[in-house]
Amino acid sequence: MAERTDWEARVANLLKAELKRKGVTYSQLVEKLAEIGVEEKEVNVRNKLSRGKFTAAFMAQCYEAIGSNSIRLVD
């Protein structure tokens, strides 16, 4: 299996941090994604975030679903 690049890890960590700030679990994220018409399974979300392999569109969908309107590149 290919290793995550630094950029993949960074992006995955950005999304994980935003979920934590908002107090949203992976299960809740799946529910919120469904509310905006994006069908995902919890296991798929977990895998995407653990691998750091997902599209910019998926990241934008997640941010929209949890009510975040900006991406923090640094804390």
Side-chain angles (χ1 to χ4, degrees):
M1 180 193 279
E3 291 184 33
R4 291 194 320 180
T5 66
D6 289 342
W7 285 103
E8 290 165 341
R10 184 175 178 191
V11 170
N13 288 336
L14 286 172
L15 182 50
K16 288 179 198 177
E18 191 64 19
L19 290 170
K20 187 138 184 113
R21 272 191 286 279
K22 292 285 191 171
V24 176
T25 65
Y26 291 153
S27 177
Q28 291 168 327
L29 175 60
V30 168
E31 292 172 10
K32 291 176 180 295
L33 285 168
E35 290 172 7
I36 64 167
V38 179
E39 296 300 320
E40 285 285 349
K41 293 184 178 174
E42 185 176 344
V43 67
N44 294 341
V45 169
R46 285 184 184 282
N47 287 337
K48 286 179 181 186
L49 291 175
S50 71
R51 288 190 316 259
K53 300 239 183 221
F54 48 83
T55 65
F58 176 76
M59 188 167 181
Q61 290 166 335
C62 290
Y63 270 72
E64 176 72 22
I66 64 174
S68 291
N69 58 10
S70 64
I71 296 174
R72 295 178 181 200
L73 296 178
V74 293
D75 283 330

